[in-house]
Every structure is written in structure tokens, then in C-alpha cells.
Amino acid sequence: MTTFVTVVHIVTCFLIVVVVLMQSGKGADISATLGGSSNTVFGSSGGANFFTKTTFALAAIFMCTSLGLTVMGGREKRSVFDTGTAATTPATPAKLPLDPTAAAKAPPANATVPVDTTAGGKK
């Protein structure tokens, strides 16, 4: 469903751009107006033509798809910090020795012995 609404949203965006660019601006006939052929500076307002009605309809669709995508996106609990593995793998508790002094007596199992890599073993 989210994919369908996203596709409708993107198509609506492109259609709004095309329809708005196809319309002539209100000041398009200003040269004729200055010549005295009209009584108003920006032309008569007149009724809404096809492009104006189409722009309003596309804007309404754009707003509905924007709100729909916001609502659908809010349902998914995601974070940019989640990698997917940390949330699904439970953490195992560390095993502590029963005798607290036993840890100090024995070296850890994964301890490494430092190796002298200098020539002759002298510094």
C-alpha cells in the first residue's frame, strides 16, 4: 500500500509541475495592458479555466498522499540508529565466578603473552 501511495505522490508532483508551467501568468498580457487595450493591469480574473481546476485537484491529491504517507510511515517503529541485528539478538548476561578471589588468581582464558619481536630479545 505504501508503494502505491508513493507512486501516486511522485506522479502527482510531476503533473503539478507540468500543469503550472503550462499556465500563462497573470502578468502575461501586461504589454497589451500598457498599450491601453484593457482596463485592468493584470487582466480580468474571469472564471477558473481547465488548468486552474486541474492545479487545485492535483494539489488536493498531493496533500492527501502526503498525509497518508506520514500516517503510514508513523506506524513503523524504526530508527536510523537500528541496524536490525541488535534489536533481534538478545544480550547474554556475563558469567561471574562464584568465588570473587578466583578471578584474581587465574589469568583470563583469552589472555595473550607478549612476544618480544626485537632482534636478539634485547631492547
Side-chain angles (χ1 to χ4, degrees), residues 7-108:
V7 169
V8 170
H9 187 73
I10 292 172
V11 169
T12 304
C13 290
F14 286 121
L15 288 176
I16 287 174
V17 169
V18 169
V19 170
V20 167
L21 289 176
M22 288 177 59
Q23 296 180 33
S24 62
K26 291 199 178 262
D29 297 327
I30 198 163
S31 62
T33 302
L34 294 176
S37 64
S38 177
N39 292 334
T40 60
V41 175
F42 292 109
S44 61
S45 61
N49 60 6
F50 172 74
F51 289 119
T52 306
K53 291 179 182 178
T54 305
T55 303
F56 286 132
L58 289 172
I61 293 170
F62 178 80
M63 290 302 297
C64 290
T65 55
S66 295
L67 290 173
L69 286 170
T70 302
V71 169
M72 284 187 272
R75 290 182 185 161
E76 299 174 9
K77 301 292 183 190
R78 293 184 300 170
S79 173
V80 294
F81 299 109
D82 290 340
T83 59
T85 57
T88 58
T89 307
T92 57
K95 296 182 180 179
L96 298 176
L98 297 177
D99 182 16
T101 59
K105 295 176 186 174

